[in-house]
């Protein structure tokens, strides 16, 4: 399940026993590559409650909203990518997370095109070296051409966004 930052305060209302994974949505990098949630939310209470319920807790990156494409594009340049991946892994370890969910979609994926695959492969290697997981959220009806088979094979599993087919945007 995905829990948006604005709903962290509602963690006690959730039936956590019905989940296996809890993805905290959404963290995005600042210009220096440090991950932050809108409003500077403290994720520790949510991580602790998820772990107490026996869940794997992941940070979910980017999201379907409007992440800063210029920042992402800069951080994913070959000369910046290693440092950015290191920042992500440090964030995961510092916050006792079990891994990263890559939810790069919407306005961001077409912007970073050729950077997606090498980023995912490098992030997988860095996370697996620390015994951490990596997943993705991908659309049920269309996968952007930037998402190569090599990237797909890098994920431990994929969350299929079946709701993308219809919703308030296309009743």
């Amino acid at each position: 399940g995905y829990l948006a930052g604005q709903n962290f305060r509602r963690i006690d209302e959730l039936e956590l026993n019905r989940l296996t994974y809890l993805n905290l949505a959404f963290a995005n990098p600042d210009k220096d590559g440090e991950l932050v949630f809108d409003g500077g939310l403290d994720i520790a209470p949510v991580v602790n409650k998820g772990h107490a319920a026996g869940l794997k807790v992941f940070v979910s990156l980017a999201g379907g909203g409007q992440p800063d494409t210029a920042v992402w594009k800069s951080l994913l340049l070959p000369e910046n990518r290693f440092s950015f991946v290191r920042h992500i892994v440090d964030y995961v370890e510092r916050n006792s997370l079990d891994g990263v969910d890559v939810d790069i979609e919407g306005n961001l994926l077409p912007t970073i095109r050729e950077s997606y695959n090498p980023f995912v492969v490098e992030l997988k290697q860095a996370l697996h070296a620390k015994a951490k997981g990596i997943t993705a959220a991908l659309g049920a009806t269309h996968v952007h051409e930037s998402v190569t088979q090599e990237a797909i094979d890098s994920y431990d599993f994929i969350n299929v966004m079946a709701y993308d087919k219809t919703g308030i945007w296309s009743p």
Side-chain angles (χ1 to χ4, degrees), residues 50-107:
H51 284 155
L55 304 180
K56 298 281 187 185
V57 183
F58 282 42
V59 61
S60 192
L61 302 180
Q66 301 297 319
D68 189 329
T69 57
V71 168
W72 274 94
K73 194 169 185 178
S74 172
L75 292 171
L76 295 181
L77 290 171
E79 62 269 22
N80 299 332
R81 190 170 46 244
F82 176 82
S83 177
F84 180 41
V85 167
R86 190 178 69 239
H87 282 299
I88 294 169
V89 174
D90 288 348
Y91 182 89
V92 167
E93 290 190 302
R94 188 171 56 249
N95 288 286
S96 301
L97 294 161
D98 299 294
V100 173
D101 175 63
V102 179
D103 194 353
I104 295 176
E105 56 175 304
N107 67 321

Side-chain angles (χ1 to χ4, degrees), residues 86-154:
R86 190 178 69 239
H87 282 299
I88 294 169
V89 174
D90 288 348
Y91 182 89
V92 167
E93 290 190 302
R94 188 171 56 249
N95 288 286
S96 301
L97 294 161
D98 299 294
V100 173
D101 175 63
V102 179
D103 194 353
I104 295 176
E105 56 175 304
N107 67 321
L108 182 54
L109 190 52
T111 303
I112 64 167
R113 293 185 175 275
E114 66 281 345
S115 298
Y116 181 88
N117 189 65
F119 168 65
V120 168
V121 170
E122 203 168 311
L123 182 59
K124 176 201 81 162
Q125 292 168 346
L127 288 167
H128 283 185
K130 301 286 186 173
K132 303 293 182 178
I134 183 171
T135 65
L138 295 175
T141 59
H142 172 73
V143 175
H144 194 273
E145 62 269 7
S146 298
V147 182
T148 66
Q149 189 63 48
E150 183 179 24
I152 289 171
D153 291 343
S154 294

Side-chain angles (χ1 to χ4, degrees), residues 27-48:
N28 276 287
D30 64 15
K31 65 178 179 55
D32 299 317
E34 295 292 338
L35 293 182
V36 292
F37 276 86
D38 285 342
L41 295 171
D42 179 13
I43 68 170
V46 179
V47 172
N48 292 338

